[in-house]
Structures are given as C-alpha cells and as structure tokens.
Amino acid sequence: MSSSFKFSEWPPTLTGSQLEALSVHATTYALAHSLLYLPPGQSQPTVPTSAIHAPFALLPSPFPRKPFLEAKRLQRIYNVLYARIAMDVGFLDNVMGTEHGLGQVDDFIGQLWSGWKLLRDEGLAQPLHLGIFRSDYLLHSPSENDRFLKQVEFNTISASFGVLSQRVSELHRYLYNLTSYYNVSSYITADNFPENNTLSTIAEGLAAAHSAYNVQSAWILFVVQPNERNVFDQRWIEYELFDKYQIRVIRQTFDQLAATATVDSTSRLHINASTDTVPSGSVEISVVYYRSGYVPSEYTTPNHYSVRFLLERSRAIKCPTIALQLAGSKKIQQVLTQPDVLESFLCDPKRGKVFTPSEVEAVRNTFMAMWGLEVSEDGLTPDHEATGAGREEYGVRRARDKAHSLVLKPQREGGGNNVYKDDIPAFLDKLDPPERQAWIAMELITPPQGTGNYLLRAGNRDGSGTVKTEVISELGIYGWALFADSEGVIEKEGGWLLRTKGKENNEGGVATGFSVLDSVLLVDD
C-alpha cells in the first residue's frame, strides 16, 4: 500500500505567535469543555476543588483513510468474535484451567478463573453479558511506502478515555473552524476530521443492557477506583445515561461495596447507601459497569475478590463478566493466531452467522506474529522434551533469537508492564520456567518514522508548555455487544480514540503518563 502523504513532513511549521495562540485557545477550550483530570495527589477530596486539562496534542495526527475505515468495519466482526469466545466455556477452561493453563501460573488470572468456575457450578443467575470494547491498532510500516493496520490488543474491561477522546476531536475541529490552523497544511480540511461519537455509543450499550434487565427503576453501578483522577471521562457517561435515558448511576469502590452490596434470595443485587441521591437507602442494580478491577493491585485483600464474585453471582448484567474479562487476556489474543482457531469461532454455523473467507482473512491480517514462551515447535503444546538441564522451550529460544524485534507481554492491562527488545534476554534469565506460561512474545509493530506533533501537558514544571517531538499514534475503535449463550449477539461499532506518545516511550497509557489524547486527520493513500 503506497501513500502520497509524507508522514515525515508532519507537523507543518507554525510560527511562535501561531503556536502560542493555538495553545491558549486549546487549553481554555479544554478547561471549558471538561477535557479534564483531577490534579495529581495520593488522595482526592470527596468534593473536588480543582482540575487540570488532560494531556493532548495541539494538532490532529495523520492516519490513512482506508486503514481507518477498515478498523471501523472490522470492529463489528471483533465484537462478535469476542462474544463467542466468552460464551465458549470449554475453550476458556482449556486456556486458563488445564495443567498448563494460564490460571495455574498467573495468580490473578487463576483467582478469577477458579472463582468463576465455582460460580458456574452453583449456577449463574444472569446469562447475558455486556461488553464495551476497544480494539487498539498501530500502523505497521516495514518500508517507507507500506502502511498496514496491525492490532496491539483488544480491550474487554474498562476501555477508558472514550469521552475525553471525543472532546479532543471536538477541540481540534474547533481550532480548525476558528483559525483554519493558519492554512499551514492543505490536508487540514473539514472533510478530513472524521465524526467521533464515543459517548453516545458507550451510553447506548449500557442503556441496552439496562433495558434487557427490564426493571426501569433500577440503577447502573459504576465500580470505580479509589482516588480516581480520570473521573470526568466517567461522569459524562453518567450524565448521558440520565439525560437521554433517565437511568441513574451510583459509583462505588470495592471497599465501599464490601459494606453496601447484598444479593437477595431472588439473586437481585442491591446497594444499601443512604445518601441524598438514594433517599430510600437502597437501590436495585441492573448493570455493573467496571471501570476498575482489571489489575491485581486493585484486589489488595481477599475481600475484594469476594466482592467481585458476589457481583458476578447476581442477576445484574455485568460489563464485563469474568468470562469476558478472561477472553480479553493476551493469551487469548495469541491463541487466536494459531491455525484454524479464528476460523472455529467465525466460520462454524453452530455459533450463528458465518463470516466470509475475506472477512476472516481481513481480521487475521491485523495480527502480528505471536507465540507463548512455553510452546513447542508446533506452537500448540508445551515442549516437555526440551526442558532438561541446559535446554529451553522452543518459545524461549525463539524469543532470545528475535529479541531485537519483540515485545514480551504479561496478562496485565493499563500500561507499564511489557518488556522490550534488548531487555528481553536478561529478563528471560530471571524468569522461572513455570512463569513463562504467563507471557507471550509478539513481533513489534514498526510505525511510520519521522512524524511529529506538538504535545501539551498541564503544569509542566520546566515551563516548556507546548513541546514538539517525534511521535507514534495508536488508534482505538470502540464497540459494544450484548449477548447470551442461547441468543444472537446484538452489537454496534461507534467512536474512536487516538493516543499519541513520544517516540522514545515504549508504553502507551494516558493514565500512566506515557501518552496524550489526540484525534485523527484522515489522509488519502
């Protein structure tokens, strides 16, 4: 795929006065339109007293039109794919719970899987699952004129920054309408700013699940982190649910839920919280929406797992269920690259709609090469014969040989967990053989080189303000799916995110400080 657009020539040159004017307009717009974080601090006050703007790029970043539209098209297939994975209990048990399964070597995954298995044995009260998804991609540019869409990961829990991403796309459109970006680039035109409707998409998915629960007076529960800084990204979903659907939201942490959550004899989930907004002292919950619970550090006591399992036991519709959270693990992403696995989910008429060979191939074309560190040369089973003294599994040997072009990923979300390139051999030396099953190796995506942008972060102590740097941009496409074992998948695609980071940073999380929020400027191939 050739491209007439020169990524190495972005961003266009701005004068000092133009840069200052855009920065002033952008930051004041951000503060006025809730493109906000709470300020850093070990604890946040119950009543917020101040806020800062979230980090963002001053100009939209270029992204080829065809791969962007392809990512949106593929989201509908990915929605169905991960719904079917979550419904395939035998498949998940095989990956998570067998002798060499992920749950045997990763304590966090093991806790979730074993708790889910016990709940299944008891009998789950709610067959419906709700997934609010985000599929993340980078452009892969192995040569100057090639641009391929490659998936970084698929998120099935707490797919965040949807609302703030929409706010950034609105900010960039505002700057264009106000200044035309001083006509510094012929690519900056109204037609090249794609629509971004992430807020309405996420709220629609939650409202669909609430409707399926069929108790209009019930509330939606947001399970949140203590001292959450990214609260505005969440609050706008709450406001949209109330304004558009008349659905109320209650926010609780795991610690709060330990004291307030109960499940009655009919498996209905109630939150006992006497506040001004809950005058009756108790509300029934229709949907449990997790904006936390995706990393081990959020389960600091056994009580937190107990709360998670209590919620899972109830009739409330979970977003996600434990099954759907497990389906989003890196190990599942790697297993899907093995021969015939993708086809088993998308081409079996017993599962519902059969996708065409070209659709399946389009999904497979987004995969980079991946393998488990424990695998044998056939890529499927542990290599028991290669574990003697002085010998290593094929997966480890291959990772050592190709370390310069790899990333190692554990089963973790949120950024800051991966091991890259030259750090890999020393890391493998320290990794105990049983722990290798918890890691996958993935060939690195090579993004276009030389692309830059101007990045703004609030409160730069060195006074640098807007910083120009070479960057890499990661595209995320949102979607949702509502489904049950015996029913078809109701799903929708809508909205997107662009995260941009300095080229020197391997990791990509906004909340972890590596990236800034950005928006797409479509350029033709």
Side-chain angles (χ1 to χ4, degrees):
M1 183 187 301
S2 62
S3 173
S4 58
F5 179 83
K6 301 297 183 183
F7 281 82
S8 59
E9 295 178 2
W10 193 264
T13 300
L14 292 165
T15 67
S17 60
Q18 291 171 340
L19 191 60
E20 181 178 6
L22 287 172
S23 298
V24 170
H25 287 307
T27 53
T28 51
Y29 183 97
L31 292 168
H33 290 80
S34 296
L35 178 51
L36 299 174
Y37 265 176
L38 292 180
Q42 291 187 344
S43 63
Q44 297 292 340
T46 303
V47 179
T49 57
S50 63
I52 60 174
H53 71 75
F56 60 87
L58 188 60
L59 276 73
S61 288
F63 203 94
R65 193 181 306 271
K66 287 182 180 178
F68 177 81
L69 296 176
E70 176 75 349
K72 288 171 63 67
R73 183 181 74 86
L74 290 177
Q75 188 64 35
R76 302 290 303 273
I77 306 174
Y78 269 114
N79 290 341
V80 175
L81 171 62
Y82 275 85
R84 291 177 178 177
I85 293 170
M87 290 187 289
D88 193 328
V89 173
F91 175 77
L92 288 175
D93 279 351
N94 185 57
V95 175
M96 303 294 165
T98 58
E99 179 183 356
H100 298 284
L102 185 59
Q104 308 303 315
V105 294
D106 186 301
D107 182 65
F108 176 55
I109 297 295
Q111 291 268 18
L112 292 177
W113 175 81
S114 60
W116 174 53
K117 187 175 185 301
L118 288 173
L119 292 172
R120 282 158 37 202
D121 292 342
E122 294 176 8
L124 293 170
Q126 179 56 262
L128 279 167
H129 309 241
L130 174 64
I132 293 177
F133 302 138
R134 194 185 70 226
S135 186
D136 292 338
Y137 303 93
L138 286 171
L139 283 178
H140 183 46
S141 184
S143 64
E144 184 177 356
N145 294 321
D146 288 326
R147 309 278 186 263
F148 304 109
L149 189 71
K150 293 296 183 180
Q151 188 182 65
V152 178
E153 62 185 359
F154 192 88
N155 301 276
T156 63
I157 182 170
S158 190
S160 61
F161 288 107
V163 177
L164 294 193
S165 295
Q166 180 174 326
R167 293 287 175 260
V168 174
S169 63
E170 292 164 353
L171 180 155
H172 286 158
R173 188 180 291 273
Y174 164 76
L175 291 177
Y176 167 73
N177 289 332
L178 182 68
T179 70
S180 298
Y181 276 102
Y182 304 106
N183 298 310
V184 293
S185 171
S186 61
Y187 290 99
I188 305 180
T189 67
D191 291 342
N192 290 338
F193 287 85
E195 181 183 6
N196 192 354
N197 58 348
T198 313
L199 171 58
S200 61
T201 298
I202 294 173
E204 181 185 24
L206 290 166
H210 175 84
S211 178
Y213 187 80
N214 201 28
V215 177
Q216 185 57 37
S217 62
W219 293 35
I220 291 179
L221 168 65
F222 283 23
V223 183
V224 298
Q225 296 174 335
N227 300 310
E228 174 64 77
R229 294 184 60 208
N230 192 25
V231 66
F232 298 96
D233 187 60
Q234 302 168 12
R235 286 290 190 181
W236 272 110
I237 302 170
E238 176 182 340
Y239 304 150
E240 182 85 352
L241 287 168
F242 186 73
D243 292 343
K244 190 172 183 178
Y245 301 99
Q246 294 75 55
I247 300 171
R248 293 180 180 268
V249 166
I250 186 168
R251 297 167 58 86
Q252 297 262 284
T253 65
F254 277 144
D255 282 334
Q256 290 172 322
L257 288 167
T260 63
T262 59
V263 175
D264 66 19
S265 60
T266 63
S267 299
R268 296 176 184 269
L269 174 63
H270 295 270
I271 305 299
N272 304 302
S274 182
T275 69
D276 290 341
T277 56
V278 191
S280 65
S282 177
V283 294
E284 182 176 349
I285 299 301
S286 59
V287 180
V288 180
Y289 174 42
Y290 287 98
R291 291 299 294 257
S292 65
Y294 51 87
V295 291
S297 60
E298 295 177 301
Y299 299 82
T300 56
T301 72
N303 210 25
H304 292 160
Y305 284 104
S306 297
V307 169
R308 179 68 188 271
F309 300 145
L310 177 73
L311 302 181
E312 193 79 12
R313 184 178 287 113
S314 75
R315 275 192 57 197
I317 298 170
K318 274 69 66 177
C319 178
T321 58
I322 293 175
L324 192 49
Q325 181 173 348
L326 293 173
S329 68
K330 305 297 188 296
K331 189 64 180 177
I332 296 295
Q333 184 186 9
Q334 176 252 310
V335 171
L336 286 172
T337 68
Q338 295 175 355
D340 301 323
V341 176
L342 184 63
E343 289 76 4
S344 74
F345 284 104
L346 295 180
C347 301
D348 184 350
K350 295 179 181 178
R351 297 187 188 271
K353 175 184 176 180
V354 175
F355 290 89
T356 66
S358 63
E359 289 173 320
V360 176
E361 186 65 17
V363 172
R364 187 173 292 283
N365 284 341
T366 67
F367 296 164
M368 293 297 287
M370 282 178 266
W371 64 90
L373 294 185
E374 83 287 359
V375 297
S376 65
E377 205 150 354
D378 62 15
L380 298 175
T381 57
D383 188 0
H384 297 292
E385 296 180 359
T387 57
R391 305 181 72 186
E392 293 182 314
E393 289 90 341
Y394 171 76
V396 174
R397 298 197 307 271
R398 188 179 177 194
R400 289 188 187 278
D401 292 343
K402 297 174 68 69
H404 66 283
S405 61
L406 294 182
V407 54
L408 300 185
K409 295 185 175 184
Q411 313 305 310
R412 297 291 178 266
E413 305 298 333
N417 302 296
N418 299 333
V419 181
Y420 291 84
K421 295 184 178 181
D422 294 340
D423 294 332
I424 289 175
F427 176 79
L428 291 173
D429 290 340
K430 299 176 183 177
L431 197 63
D432 291 335
E435 295 177 314
R436 294 169 182 166
Q437 292 169 231
W439 291 78
I440 67 165
M442 175 178 168
E443 290 193 357
L444 282 168
I445 301 168
T446 304
Q449 300 298 301
T451 308
N453 208 325
Y454 301 92
L455 311 184
L456 283 78
R457 289 183 171 88
N460 284 343
R461 293 183 179 180
D462 61 1
S464 57
T466 306
V467 177
K468 182 180 179 181
T469 188
E470 188 174 344
V471 298
I472 296 169
S473 295
E474 182 174 320
L475 175 70
I477 304 294
Y478 289 88
W480 62 267
L482 182 66
F483 55 96
D485 293 352
S486 58
E487 301 177 19
V489 178
I490 302 170
E491 54 80 30
K492 187 172 182 179
E493 171 272 322
W496 45 267
L497 161 152
L498 198 72
R499 288 176 296 183
T500 293
K501 63 183 180 181
K503 182 183 177 183
E504 70 280 1
N505 291 324
N506 285 319
E507 298 292 351
V510 175
T512 47
F514 299 110
S515 296
V516 305
L517 296 168
D518 199 351
S519 78
V520 168
L521 182 72
L522 295 176
V523 296
D524 290 319
D525 300 333

